[in-house]
Amino acid sequence: QQPWMASCLLVIAMLFPTSGKAGDHDEHHHGHDSGSVEVGLSNSLVYIPGEQNVAYGLHVHVLYTFAETPFGLGLGYELIAGEHLHQTVGPMFCYRPTNPLNLCVSPGAIFEEENIALSVHVETTYEFELHGVHLGPTLGFAYNAEDIHISLGLHTGLQF
């Protein structure tokens, strides 16, 4: 009955890679010396001004950071479980101007009930590394033709 439950299970399954090992690096490179893949998850509180509502948000991404550059490309998925179920999927384009700061833009499609619309997400994350796990606050903003939402949460990620 709840289509978002299947989405959540798929997202959780993505977090258990079949190869590679987190923390393989002696240093925290973020892909500057060699390309790397990050699997990330953010749990957030999401404020939707048009609905005057706060909801739970889950964001999952797989991001490849190109070797010797601060640029990354990936795929992101967001679920907002509020009054109305929001699901968004789209490519992610990221830039790391400094080592702990990551900025991403994600144009995509939002699925809400039977409606599909174009959207754009912008998010910033300030990461720290703790025993091979990326942790840090994340702030996001999303826009589509019908509404906006603002999210504040905790990002966690594993780099391979």
Side-chain angles (χ1 to χ4, degrees):
Q1 289 288 318
Q2 299 287 345
W4 64 272
M5 290 291 277
S7 299
C8 286
L9 291 175
L10 177 64
V11 166
I12 290 168
M14 289 173 51
L15 295 177
F16 296 97
T18 57
S19 65
K21 183 175 82 176
D24 278 348
H25 308 291
D26 291 335
E27 297 178 32
H28 189 64
H29 293 295
H30 287 289
H32 292 290
D33 294 335
S34 63
S36 65
V37 174
E38 180 189 78
V39 177
L41 177 138
S42 297
N43 288 291
S44 302
L45 287 176
V46 180
Y47 177 62
I48 305 168
E51 298 176 8
Q52 295 184 343
N53 188 24
V54 175
Y56 168 74
L58 172 70
H59 171 89
V60 176
H61 68 257
V62 176
L63 179 66
Y64 178 78
T65 301
F66 296 97
E68 303 294 328
T69 75
F71 298 101
L73 178 65
L75 181 65
Y77 169 80
E78 181 180 61
L79 175 128
I80 301 174
E83 279 182 36
H84 306 284
L85 180 67
H86 300 249
Q87 296 184 81
T88 306
V89 64
M92 293 179 62
F93 305 96
C94 298
Y95 173 66
R96 185 177 297 279
T98 65
N99 192 18
L101 183 63
N102 197 24
L103 307 171
C104 295
V105 173
S106 180
I110 184 169
F111 303 89
E112 185 177 351
E113 297 172 1
E114 288 87 41
N115 301 322
I116 300 174
L118 297 178
S119 69
V120 65
H121 284 72
V122 178
E123 74 175 38
T124 183
T125 303
Y126 195 86
E127 294 180 341
F128 302 94
E129 183 181 351
L130 182 63
H131 303 291
V133 177
H134 300 179
L135 295 170
T138 185
L139 177 64
F141 174 82
Y143 170 82
N144 68 45
E146 295 189 18
D147 68 15
I148 64 169
H149 69 259
I150 303 160
S151 60
L152 179 63
L154 177 65
H155 166 82
T156 56
L158 296 175
Q159 184 174 335
F160 299 93

